[in-house]
Amino acid sequence: MKKTLFEVQQLLKKFGMIVYTGSRLGDLELMEEELHELYEMKMIEQELYLESRMILKAEMQKERDKNE
């Protein structure tokens, strides 16, 4: 069970995906896309995908709130 953004980053890193665009919101959006691709290719289970996506969505909302 994933609980933090760091754990999601480590999951992506396991598949050779390191995301850094220079924009935190951009990074989160790209991580979400990469996560979705892993799920579509059946490389991760649905539960792991949903948990990780929820974490990313929460972090994106925090970032948007901070920039308002």
Side-chain angles (χ1 to χ4, degrees):
M1 180 172 208
K2 301 294 175 208
K3 294 181 180 137
T4 66
L5 179 60
F6 179 75
E7 290 175 309
V8 175
Q9 290 171 315
Q10 293 306 303
L11 170 67
L12 292 173
K13 190 175 177 183
K14 233 176 16 177
F15 291 96
M17 298 171 193
I18 298 172
V19 177
Y20 181 75
T21 64
S23 160
R24 179 151 170 87
L25 189 56
D27 288 350
L28 294 167
E29 290 169 347
L30 188 53
M31 282 189 256
E32 185 180 28
E33 288 175 31
E34 296 290 357
L35 189 67
H36 183 72
E37 282 185 36
L38 288 173
Y39 176 67
E40 288 292 310
M41 294 186 314
K42 308 265 189 259
M43 296 180 79
I44 59 173
E45 299 291 323
Q46 183 179 20
E47 184 179 351
L48 180 56
Y49 168 68
L50 293 174
E51 289 169 352
S52 299
R53 190 161 177 249
M54 206 167 59
I55 291 166
L56 290 173
K57 289 287 186 192
E59 290 293 325
M60 282 185 234
Q61 191 57 52
K62 283 185 209 173
E63 195 63 27
R64 288 185 186 110
D65 291 347
K66 187 169 78 173
N67 292 330
E68 287 183 354

